[in-house]
Amino acid sequence: MSTATTAPITLVVFDMAGTTVEDSGLVQRSFLAADSHAGLSKTDADRDEMLRYVTETMGQSKITVFRHLARGNEEQAQTANKEFERCYAQLVAEGNCSPIPGVEDLMVSLRSAGVKTALTTGFAKETQSAIVDALGWTQLADVVLCPRAGVRGRPFPDMPLTALMRTETESVHNMIVVGDTASDVISGLRAGARAAVGVLTGAHDADQLWAAGATHVLDSVAALPELIDSL
C-alpha cells in the first residue's frame, strides 16, 4: 500500500468566508459599495455582469478580481479594493458574520487530536484580522494566511503549501484542503493535497465543485470528521 493512502491526516487547511464563516452575502454588499465608490460599472447590465464574475471568482484574491473588473486601470482597481475591504470590515465589526455551525468544536477537536489547522482567505490581511477578532478566533488555528508578497492567492497552491511548511507537516499526503469554491478546490489539487474537499455552505454548488475536481463534496465542515476517518 502506498504512503499516500496510509499517511495520517495531520493538517487541515480551511477557507474562511462560506466555509468556516457564514457571511450572509457580505461579499456582494461590499462589492456594490466598491463599485459605487470607484465607478467600475457604467450600466445596470455592467453591474449585473460584474456581480456574476465576483460570484464566479469567489475565493480568489480580491485585488486580482478588481484588476480584471477595472480592465487594467490599476488606480481604479486599488480604489475599488480598498473600499471593498473597508466596507467588509465594517460589516463584520457590526456583527454581520458568524461561525458555520459546528466549526469551532471541530477545530478544537482536530487540534486536540494532534491535527494542525490553518485558516486561509482571499481577503487582505486587515479584513481577515477583522473577521478573526470579531469571532474571537485569535487562538483557534495554528496558522492564519492571506495573499501577500511571495504567497499568491487562489487558485494557486501557495497558501496550502505555506501552511504545510509553517506547521512542519511531513508531506502533502498528510494534508487536506477544504473550501466552498472552485478556486479552493483547484488550489488544493495544485498543492497535491490528499483531498480537495468542497462544502455546500457558500458560493458554489455541488456541480461547480465537482467540475473543479473536488475529491469529495460535503454539506458542511461538520461532516469532516467522518471523511477524515475514511481517508
Side-chain angles (χ1 to χ4, degrees):
M1 188 175 292
S2 70
T3 301
T5 57
T6 59
I9 301 303
T10 56
L11 172 63
V12 182
V13 179
F14 292 96
D15 168 54
M16 293 184 67
T19 302
T20 55
V21 179
E22 192 165 11
D23 72 357
S24 304
L26 301 192
V27 168
Q28 288 86 349
R29 290 167 66 184
S30 299
F31 166 75
L32 291 173
D35 176 41
S36 177
H37 182 74
L40 293 169
S41 64
K42 306 303 180 188
T43 66
D44 289 345
D46 281 349
R47 187 176 301 108
D48 290 345
E49 176 59 22
M50 287 184 177
L51 268 173
R52 184 203 61 77
Y53 183 78
V54 167
T55 301
E56 179 184 307
T57 57
M58 284 285 199
Q60 295 185 20
S61 171
K62 291 298 176 282
I63 184 58
T64 300
V65 172
F66 281 115
R67 282 177 177 140
H68 173 86
L69 296 177
R71 298 176 175 84
N73 184 329
E74 182 66 15
E75 181 178 356
Q76 188 180 39
Q78 292 289 346
T79 297
N81 187 61
K82 287 177 182 177
E83 178 61 14
F84 175 91
E85 299 284 355
R86 186 205 64 76
C87 182
Y88 196 101
Q90 179 178 329
L91 290 168
V92 166
E94 292 171 353
N96 290 290
C97 72
S98 59
I100 292 289
V103 69
E104 292 175 335
D105 289 343
L106 168 65
M107 293 186 72
V108 170
S109 175
L110 288 173
R111 294 184 75 187
S112 296
V115 179
K116 301 288 181 66
T117 59
L119 290 171
T120 64
T121 186
F123 295 136
K125 181 64 177 175
E126 294 78 11
T127 308
Q128 183 181 49
S129 295
I131 297 170
V132 169
D133 291 344
L135 296 177
W137 282 7
T138 54
Q139 303 298 318
L140 189 63
D142 293 281
V143 178
V144 179
L145 296 169
C146 64
R148 59 176 177 80
V151 180
R152 295 170 297 179
R154 309 179 191 108
F156 295 104
D158 300 30
M159 288 196 289
L161 293 176
T162 299
L164 181 141
M165 291 186 289
R166 292 269 188 92
T167 57
E168 299 184 346
T169 297
E170 183 175 359
S171 165
V172 294
H173 300 309
N174 301 91
M175 173 177 70
I176 65 174
V177 175
V178 186
D180 66 298
T181 71
S183 292
D184 294 304
V185 170
I186 294 168
S187 177
L189 294 172
R190 290 178 175 178
R194 173 89 153 272
V197 183
V199 292
L200 299 176
T201 49
H204 290 169
D205 61 24
D207 288 343
Q208 291 169 296
L209 296 169
W210 287 123
T215 58
H216 308 79
V217 174
L218 307 177
D219 287 339
S220 81
V221 291
L224 201 60
E226 292 181 12
L227 174 60
I228 291 175
D229 288 343
S230 73
L231 292 173

